[in-house]
Amino acid sequence: QVQLVESGGGLVQAGGSLRLSCAASGRTSSTYAMGWFRQALGKDHEFVAAITRSGGRTSYADSVKGRFTISRENAKNTMTLQMNSLKPEDTAVYYCAADSRFDYRLGYRRWEYDYWGQGTQVTVSS
């Protein structure tokens, strides 16, 4: 089992920055790709970004490309999402996710991840 805990959410003005963190514990050696998803009120989960275990490959949703940066530090079992130039439409609950099943996959769909955190709220005011 792997446990994921997000932190770093909060309220920020448009144009501002936030840094989200995801701390993994348990059988972290079994985690491959990790990713961030978000869910705005009344909407479906949306893929935000993902990173392979080595950090050598990353993937971003078009809506955040150039503004968000995903990274991970395996020695500390942490993953971060640096969010710059935030917009009101970035307001959502952000979830950390981990894939423990396929080493080669860099997923962007919910079913490709089998471990999830509880989420952290990000609110961007206009």
Side-chain angles (χ1 to χ4, degrees), residues 3-47:
Q3 294 78 43
L4 303 173
V5 178
E6 304 94 337
S7 62
L11 173 64
V12 64
Q13 288 188 330
S17 298
L18 279 176
R19 186 177 179 88
L20 303 184
S21 293
C22 174
S25 61
R27 294 188 61 186
T28 57
S29 61
S30 66
T31 58
Y32 298 122
M34 295 186 73
W36 290 95
F37 288 74
R38 66 187 182 186
Q39 186 176 26
L41 193 62
K43 295 187 178 181
D44 290 335
H45 278 79
E46 176 190 18
F47 169 74

Side-chain angles (χ1 to χ4, degrees), residues 37-97:
F37 288 74
R38 66 187 182 186
Q39 186 176 26
L41 193 62
K43 295 187 178 181
D44 290 335
H45 278 79
E46 176 190 18
F47 169 74
V48 176
I51 186 169
T52 53
R53 181 170 178 81
S54 69
R57 284 193 298 144
T58 57
S59 176
Y60 295 92
D62 288 342
S63 59
V64 307
K65 204 171 290 184
R67 299 188 298 123
F68 291 9
T69 303
I70 189 171
S71 61
R72 67 189 289 176
E73 190 169 354
N74 292 330
K76 296 184 178 180
N77 294 319
T78 59
M79 177 179 65
T80 61
L81 184 68
Q82 178 66 44
M83 306 186 295
N84 298 327
S85 303
L86 283 162
K87 304 175 182 180
E89 51 264 44
D90 294 318
T91 295
V93 177
Y94 283 70
Y95 297 90
C96 165

Side-chain angles (χ1 to χ4, degrees), residues 93-110:
V93 177
Y94 283 70
Y95 297 90
C96 165
D99 178 2
S100 72
R101 290 171 290 187
F102 294 100
D103 190 10
Y104 61 87
R105 180 170 63 190
L106 189 60
Y108 63 93
R109 292 164 288 198
R110 287 189 65 192

